[in-house]
Amino acid sequence: MNFKHLRYFWTVAKAGGVMRAGEQLNTTPQTLSGQIKQLEEWLGHDLFRKRGRGLELTSEGRVALGYAEQIFALGDELEKSIRLARGQEKPLEFRVGVADSIAKSVAYHLLEPALGMPQRVHMTCHEGKFPELIAQLSLHRLDLVLADEPVSNKIGVKAFNHPLGTSSMSFLCAPALRTQLEGPFPQCLHGAPMLIQGPMSSVRQQLDHWLNKHQLQPRLVGEFDDSALMNAFGREGRGIFTSPSVLDEETTAQFGVEVIGRSSELVEEFFAISVERRITHPCVVAITKAAKADLFAH
């Protein structure tokens, strides 16, 4: 394939016509039309059809445009990754996956030390389900996965758990809701509106057991995989919600809520998971050291 022809096709499709594309490429419409015709002959399909005075993509043209977008996007990434100004240091690439069950604030505090290193770092963050991130880690598409559960030997992936720390859980709610609660904590939870994590969360399983143990039956208002969304509903007084106690000061200030109680029986664990038994990636080293010395120092 002549990628120059593909570039011409891509430009015409994005510009919406041969005249505009010719102005962008500083070439004549006749030259563009001829080059695209050669591409169509090579592919065996028309990529455009006339519509009024303009052009529209055929079904084959839409498919070709999708591939062209990916091809030129990868080309741009290649150029940015390799081409550096003279004397400029290449940044350290750090690809990290964050389990969607981890609170965004916790993820930030865990990852921030990687950007505070003397060396320039280019960090790429991916959020997703824990099993999907572990699969990406096993294919060496990620350098690290942050999760609130360890990787199990049953998964069949060679990865190693590096404990970062633990936190008890706090129960919080908006001040207006606090005035409606009856009795001391935790009895005040009985019959009260509550926002909880989704069923796949490790904290959710502990919470269900804890509520049963204390014979508490709150009124379930909503279940959330995204802790940030749960906190947003909690801020508006829609229900009591839980958050790691290490974030109490930050959560109360950010959302204008109050801590109504804490439980040391509910513990959220945090792990850095990598394919390295002995951590060598500088960013992972910085994250693990800071987590133990600062965030989870207690």
Side-chain angles (χ1 to χ4, degrees):
M1 177 184 292
N2 188 322
F3 283 93
K4 184 177 181 180
H5 296 168
L6 186 65
R7 171 69 76 171
Y8 284 166
F9 157 74
W10 177 74
T11 305
V12 170
K14 299 291 285 185
V18 174
M19 294 294 293
R20 291 180 181 176
E23 294 173 359
Q24 294 178 18
L25 295 170
N26 196 27
T27 189
T28 65
Q30 294 79 8
T31 299
L32 277 178
S33 298
Q35 300 286 321
I36 292 173
K37 190 64 177 177
Q38 292 184 47
L39 178 63
E40 290 177 326
E41 291 174 354
W42 188 85
L43 292 173
H45 291 281
D46 290 337
L47 301 178
F48 292 105
R49 56 170 166 258
K50 288 187 177 181
R51 185 177 181 85
R53 295 184 177 181
L55 296 174
E56 70 174 9
L57 290 166
T58 63
S59 58
E60 292 81 8
R62 288 192 293 272
V63 172
L65 179 61
Y67 279 103
E69 293 276 13
Q70 296 181 52
I71 289 170
F72 294 125
L74 286 172
D76 290 340
E77 287 184 22
L78 173 63
E79 183 177 6
K80 291 176 183 177
S81 176
I82 294 180
R83 179 181 290 179
L84 296 172
R86 181 173 297 178
Q88 184 178 1
E89 178 188 6
K90 187 178 186 301
L92 176 63
E93 294 292 333
F94 180 44
R95 304 159 302 170
V96 57
V98 180
D100 56 11
S101 54
I102 290 185
K104 302 295 187 294
S105 295
V106 172
Y108 165 75
H109 286 295
L110 289 174
L111 292 174
E112 195 276 335
L115 298 181
M117 302 193 317
Q119 183 177 0
R120 288 181 58 222
V121 174
H122 177 210
M123 181 168 63
T124 306
C125 292
H126 303 275
E127 185 181 23
K129 300 296 182 185
F130 180 65
E132 298 169 0
L133 295 177
I134 294 300
Q136 294 298 308
L137 180 70
S138 68
L139 296 174
H140 298 277
R141 294 175 180 171
L142 295 174
D143 300 305
L144 179 72
V145 169
L146 293 179
D148 57 356
E149 61 180 295
V151 64
S152 170
N153 294 330
K154 297 179 181 179
I155 295 181
V157 173
K158 188 177 181 182
F160 301 93
N161 299 306
H162 307 285
L164 297 175
T166 63
S167 174
S168 59
M169 300 300 292
S170 295
F171 292 75
L172 308 98
C173 70
L177 178 57
R178 174 70 179 271
T179 62
Q180 302 174 24
L181 302 181
E182 299 180 0
F185 178 85
Q187 286 73 28
C188 62
L189 300 178
H190 190 75
M194 193 161 186
L195 313 168
I196 61 177
Q197 293 85 351
M200 300 307 294
S201 168
S202 61
V203 174
R204 168 63 183 278
Q205 298 168 30
Q206 293 184 56
L207 180 60
D208 287 342
H209 177 74
W210 185 84
L211 291 172
N212 289 331
K213 175 183 176 181
H214 292 276
Q215 299 181 335
L216 299 171
Q217 293 182 340
R219 176 165 54 87
L220 181 59
V221 175
E223 302 180 47
F224 303 85
D225 289 332
D226 188 333
S227 61
L229 184 59
M230 181 177 69
N231 293 355
F233 273 84
R235 174 185 58 198
E236 299 303 322
R238 296 300 181 179
I240 300 166
F241 63 99
T242 61
S243 175
S245 297
V246 293
L247 298 177
D248 279 353
E249 184 175 344
E250 181 175 326
T251 305
T252 54
Q254 180 180 357
F255 295 101
V257 294
E258 300 177 3
V259 176
I260 62 174
R262 301 178 180 86
S263 174
S264 58
E265 298 177 69
L266 298 174
V267 177
E268 187 166 12
E269 300 179 275
F270 299 94
F271 297 89
I273 303 172
S274 72
V275 294
E276 301 175 314
R277 182 188 298 273
R278 179 177 174 275
I279 297 174
T280 58
H281 194 293
C283 292
V284 183
V285 172
I287 286 171
T288 54
K289 284 185 176 180
K292 296 174 181 178
D294 299 320
L295 186 60
F296 302 112
H298 67 282

